[in-house]
């Protein structure tokens, strides 16, 4: 069994808000979590979903970095590996865990007779693919969020559940770091609970391309929470995080994600920090190798 659940005054900002009053026993996980739950931080939300495997504490962060007092994060909470020797790994949602573009294309075809395939997305910026303004692109995406296509659920990426289950039972602590907007925070938590229940300790939202609210860089989130590795399909995020010293597994499923290609010119990225992976089997192998190297480095310092 995992640790008992906890909640705090910020809990009504997340899903499962009806259960907030019933789950207020604080988990003494680390100094950072204790301070979060004892402070007035309305942009944080804490919740504990049901789990088929174990019952981790899930913290949903949709606030800006200014809310986080980095001095509250003790070394026992954000080292190379966690206190029980587990490496903290951040995992993206769309195109890594779920097939977002595939489902979005179905919506665009049914609603607007827009005919696109995943292979058409040479960049993960929909306005450029659809040949419209950013405002119009945002409008279509948010209509998609309200559609039955989105509510019926995004299909999972094959192999992700099995690999993440093995990783969670090994020397890894898994968290979600997504660019998804605040407006679909609750829907995202429900989707994760339905398809990846019990695997992730925390969920963080960057709020990119949102109609309102501030966005948060993935590199800032990863550094703040002590994630040493990010699994992501977007090369822009990969380069951003690598520049911050964060290891990245750039997920290019079967080599079929046009937008996931790194810049070809020399010196564009550090190959020691960014590795391209094409399936979840490769993710497992690369993480095992990386964890070994990080432990060796830590032992020598």
């Amino acid at each position: 069994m995992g640790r008992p659940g906890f909640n705090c005054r910020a809990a009504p900002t997340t899903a499962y808000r009806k259960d907030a009053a019933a789950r207020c026993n604080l988990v003494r996980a680390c100094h950072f979590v204790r301070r979060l739950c004892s402070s007035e931080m309305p942009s944080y939300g804490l919740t504990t979903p049901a789990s088929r495997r174990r019952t981790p504490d899930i913290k949903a962060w949709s606030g800006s970095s200014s809310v986080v007092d980095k001095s509250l994060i003790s070394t026992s909470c954000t080292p190379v590996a966690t206190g029980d020797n587990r490496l903290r790994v951040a995992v993206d949602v769309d195109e890594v865990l779920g097939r977002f573009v595939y489902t979005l294309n179905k919506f665009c075809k049914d609603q607007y007779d827009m005919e696109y395939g995943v292979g058409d997305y040479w960049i993960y910026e929909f306005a450029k693919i659809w040949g419209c303004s950013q405002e119009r692109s945002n409008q279509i995406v948010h209509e998609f969020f309200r559609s039955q296509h989105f509510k019926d659920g995004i299909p999972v990426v094959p192999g992700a559940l099995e690999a993440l289950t093995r990783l969670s039972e090994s020397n890894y602590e898994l968290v979600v770091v997504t660019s998804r907007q605040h407006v679909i925070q609750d829907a995202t938590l429900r989707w994760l609970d339905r398809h990846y229940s019990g695997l992730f300790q925390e969920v963080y939202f960057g709020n990119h391309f949102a109609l309102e609210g501030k966005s948060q860089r993935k590199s800032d989130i990863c550094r703040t929470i002590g994630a040493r590795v990010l699994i992501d399909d977007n090369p822009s995020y990969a380069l951003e995080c690598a520049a911050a010293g964060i290891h990245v597994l750039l997920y290019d499923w079967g080599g079929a994600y046009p937008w996931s290609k790194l810049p070809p010119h020399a010196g564009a990225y550090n190959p020691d920090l960014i590795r391209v992976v094409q399936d979840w089997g490769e993710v497992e192998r690369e993480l095992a190798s990386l964890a070994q190297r990080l432990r060796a480095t830590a032992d020598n310092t």
Side-chain angles (χ1 to χ4, degrees):
M1 295 293 292
R3 299 170 297 183
F6 69 93
N7 245 295
C8 69
R9 282 170 287 184
T13 65
T14 71
Y16 315 103
R17 53 177 62 108
K18 292 181 180 178
D19 298 330
R23 294 194 311 271
C24 57
N25 293 327
L26 179 62
V27 171
R28 304 289 175 176
C30 66
H31 182 60
F32 177 50
V33 172
R34 288 202 298 272
R35 287 294 298 272
L36 281 182
C37 287
S38 61
S39 302
E40 290 288 351
M41 292 188 176
S43 58
Y44 282 77
L46 308 178
T47 184
T48 304
S51 171
R52 292 187 300 270
R53 303 174 189 86
R54 52 197 174 92
T55 53
D57 315 314
I58 291 189
K59 174 165 73 272
W61 175 22
S62 57
S64 66
S65 61
S66 61
V67 174
V68 182
D69 181 351
K70 294 180 176 61
S71 68
L72 301 181
I73 307 176
S74 67
T75 55
S76 64
C77 200
T78 58
V80 171
T82 57
D84 59 352
N85 200 35
R86 307 183 83 202
L87 180 67
R88 175 166 276 209
V89 179
V91 184
D92 183 33
V93 173
D94 296 319
E95 320 314 332
V96 175
L97 297 178
R99 301 176 65 186
F100 183 92
V101 165
Y102 167 82
T103 312
L104 176 62
N105 285 340
K106 292 176 65 177
F107 167 78
C108 288
K109 172 62 177 175
D110 293 345
Q111 186 71 19
Y112 297 106
D113 200 29
M114 296 164 56
E115 191 78 50
Y116 292 98
V118 171
D120 294 322
Y121 289 76
W122 56 271
I123 189 171
Y124 210 81
E125 295 180 24
F126 303 145
K128 294 180 179 179
I129 304 303
W130 299 338
C132 64
S133 67
Q134 186 62 55
E135 182 180 6
R136 176 58 177 159
S137 172
N138 289 344
Q139 180 185 354
I140 293 174
V141 171
H142 282 260
E143 287 178 4
F144 170 59
F145 292 156
R146 296 188 293 270
S147 74
Q148 202 61 43
H149 291 78
F150 185 78
K151 293 176 182 177
D152 285 344
I154 308 297
V156 299
V157 171
L161 174 62
E162 296 79 4
L164 287 165
T165 299
R166 289 188 290 268
L167 291 170
S168 70
E169 295 170 350
S170 187
N171 292 324
Y172 304 93
E173 183 178 69
L174 306 173
V175 299
V176 166
V177 174
T178 176
S179 61
R180 281 192 172 194
Q181 298 92 339
H182 300 170
V183 70
I184 55 171
Q185 175 176 309
D186 288 4
T188 301
L189 292 174
R190 288 192 295 268
W191 185 86
L192 288 169
D193 189 42
R194 184 184 314 125
H195 296 289
Y196 296 97
S197 181
L199 296 179
F200 296 106
Q201 300 295 310
E202 302 162 1
V203 177
Y204 297 86
F205 295 83
N207 199 41
H208 298 182
F209 298 103
L211 299 182
E212 59 182 22
K214 295 182 179 180
S215 63
Q216 178 66 21
R217 288 160 54 95
K218 284 196 174 184
S219 58
D220 291 339
I221 297 174
C222 287
R223 286 190 299 182
T224 299
I225 67 175
R228 294 295 303 272
V229 186
L230 172 68
I231 306 171
D232 203 292
D233 65 298
N234 192 318
S236 296
Y237 296 143
L239 293 171
E240 170 198 319
C241 288
I246 298 161
H247 292 266
V248 181
L249 300 183
L250 183 60
Y251 195 85
D252 182 7
W253 183 25
Y257 287 170
W259 65 86
S260 290
K261 315 308 178 190
L262 285 163
H265 50 282
Y269 65 96
N270 184 343
D272 292 331
L273 289 176
I274 302 178
R275 300 292 181 93
V276 177
V277 292
Q278 294 193 0
D279 57 48
W280 274 95
E282 276 195 76
V283 170
E284 289 185 88
R285 292 190 291 273
E286 287 292 341
L287 279 178
S289 175
L290 178 58
Q292 188 174 21
R293 296 200 308 271
L294 288 174
R295 290 192 194 98
T297 301
D299 290 342
N300 292 330
T301 58

